[in-house]
Amino acid sequence: MHRQTLATRKKVLRKEHPDTLTTMNNLTLVLGRQGKYEEAESMHRQTLATSEKVLGKEHPSTLTTIYCLAYHLANRRRYTESTTLYERACAGFKDVLGKDHPTTRACR
């Protein structure tokens, strides 16, 4: 279902549309849960690169993508890289949303 939605969004909205990026991020989470770790990581990184380019490095959606990649890497026991990404996401949420925002608090 997510793959079909992604294909449709890429066709109709294009690859760089924020809704397409959200769908890509959702698909990466499903792939990780299915044990398709390499595919999930590759798509996470692709989504992050596109999100940084289109939305900017401090956009909340970009920060969410960073957080999701960190989560994926932590599940793969790649703690050094995941910690760096978690710290980046949490610092970004604090700067953009404020220290008391629920998303910032959840990130901590």
Side-chain angles (χ1 to χ4, degrees):
M1 182 68 80
H2 284 290
R3 288 186 194 274
Q4 287 177 316
T5 302
L6 179 58
T8 301
R9 287 192 182 212
K10 281 183 176 181
K11 182 178 178 182
V12 174
L13 301 175
R14 302 288 184 232
K15 177 184 173 184
E16 296 181 341
H17 191 280
D19 290 345
T20 304
L21 294 171
T22 298
T23 300
M24 287 176 70
N25 201 47
N26 291 341
L27 178 56
T28 63
L29 298 173
V30 171
L31 291 171
R33 288 186 192 120
Q34 291 176 339
K36 299 176 182 176
Y37 304 118
E38 291 174 13
E39 185 179 2
E41 182 177 342
S42 176
M43 187 172 284
H44 269 300
R45 293 188 186 281
Q46 179 185 2
T47 304
L48 178 56
T50 305
S51 186
E52 287 177 334
K53 176 183 161 192
V54 174
L55 303 173
K57 292 184 177 190
E58 297 299 317
H59 190 280
S61 292
T62 302
L63 297 172
T64 298
T65 300
I66 293 167
Y67 183 88
C68 290
L69 176 56
Y71 178 83
H72 175 77
L73 293 171
N75 284 341
R76 302 284 297 151
R77 294 181 173 84
R78 293 169 55 190
Y79 300 120
T80 302
E81 190 175 5
S82 70
T83 299
T84 300
L85 290 170
Y86 274 132
E87 290 171 352
R88 180 177 163 198
C90 290
F93 284 131
K94 182 180 175 188
D95 291 346
V96 174
L97 302 176
K99 68 177 183 169
D100 293 323
H101 190 277
T103 302
T104 304
R105 286 179 179 232
C107 188
R108 281 189 254 149

